[in-house]
Amino acid sequence: MDLKQIVRDVLDFPKEGIIFRDITPVLQSPEALKESIDQMMDKLDGVDFDLIVGPESRGFIFGVPLAYNMNKGFIPVRKKGKLPYKTVEKEYDLEYGTASIEMHIDAIQPGQKVVIIDDLLATGGTSKAIIDLIEQVGGKVVKLVYLIELEFLKGRDALKDYSVESIIKY
């Protein structure tokens, strides 16, 4: 199945001149959703890891079924103020300002090997912030897997020290 053919291009969203890659058609199709998760799981074949980390919200969509299928724990990374326990926080730059993400301080134990799962690799800023959180608590990022990669934004440059895989490339 060619997942790229299922992703919907939305012109001029969120502003004029932007092409938004909409994954909701993938999520709505049982076959495409299964295929996307299966292909992401294939990218983890042979990788030694303990936990899957996924950022809010689409990282949850793909990360949780992968964690379930692979018998691993899932660690949510959320926007500031959304987690109920003590957290570590990372502020990072966006195209239009800054944002902060958090993770529970006890989510990852020192030495645990972690895979990051998300729907989109664009500039790499969010992923780099997640890596910083993981490493701050002593975890080791062994792989990052994305459904979509916007190659023209050169997100891999920000992640050059890590193993990065993607299913669909634009």
Side-chain angles (χ1 to χ4, degrees):
M1 173 180 294
D2 185 359
L3 293 171
K4 192 173 191 177
Q5 298 300 316
I6 298 170
V7 172
R8 175 175 36 215
D9 291 345
V10 179
L11 301 177
D12 298 325
F13 181 82
K15 63 182 184 177
E16 190 172 337
I18 302 290
I19 298 174
F20 185 83
R21 307 296 183 180
D22 181 10
I23 66 164
T24 55
V26 172
L27 302 177
Q28 293 166 344
S29 163
E31 297 81 14
L33 179 59
K34 182 178 185 330
E35 181 69 20
S36 63
I37 290 168
D38 288 350
Q39 286 191 38
M40 292 174 106
M41 196 160 57
D42 288 347
K43 300 288 186 188
L44 297 174
D45 189 41
V47 177
D48 178 26
F49 70 100
D50 304 300
L51 299 165
I52 290 178
V53 170
E56 184 175 354
S57 66
R58 291 177 300 264
F60 294 9
I61 292 169
F62 296 102
V64 170
L66 286 167
Y68 175 82
N69 286 341
M70 301 183 85
N71 197 33
K72 305 292 182 181
F74 178 80
I75 308 301
V77 171
R78 300 207 60 197
K79 295 173 186 159
K80 183 178 171 87
K82 299 290 185 180
L83 290 171
Y85 188 62
K86 297 176 199 164
T87 61
V88 289
E89 176 186 345
K90 178 70 179 180
E91 186 174 285
Y92 62 102
D93 292 326
L94 297 168
E95 179 181 336
Y96 49 85
T98 61
S100 292
I101 55 172
E102 294 181 323
M103 177 179 73
H104 280 152
I105 196 163
D106 63 351
I108 298 168
Q109 302 307 306
Q112 283 189 304
K113 296 176 201 145
V114 176
V115 168
I116 298 172
I117 301 293
D118 204 358
D119 71 318
L120 180 70
L121 173 58
T123 65
T126 303
S127 295
K128 185 61 175 96
I130 295 167
I131 290 168
D132 291 347
L133 284 178
I134 292 166
E135 292 177 348
Q136 181 180 339
V137 297
K140 178 175 174 33
V141 175
V142 296
K143 193 166 203 90
L144 297 94
V145 179
Y146 303 90
L147 178 64
I148 295 173
E149 179 178 355
L150 303 177
E151 293 179 299
F152 61 93
L153 292 176
K154 302 188 183 310
R156 284 181 187 253
D157 292 353
L159 309 172
K160 65 183 179 300
D161 297 328
Y162 301 90
S163 175
V164 176
E165 300 271 0
S166 56
I167 307 303
I168 302 168
K169 296 179 181 181
Y170 292 97

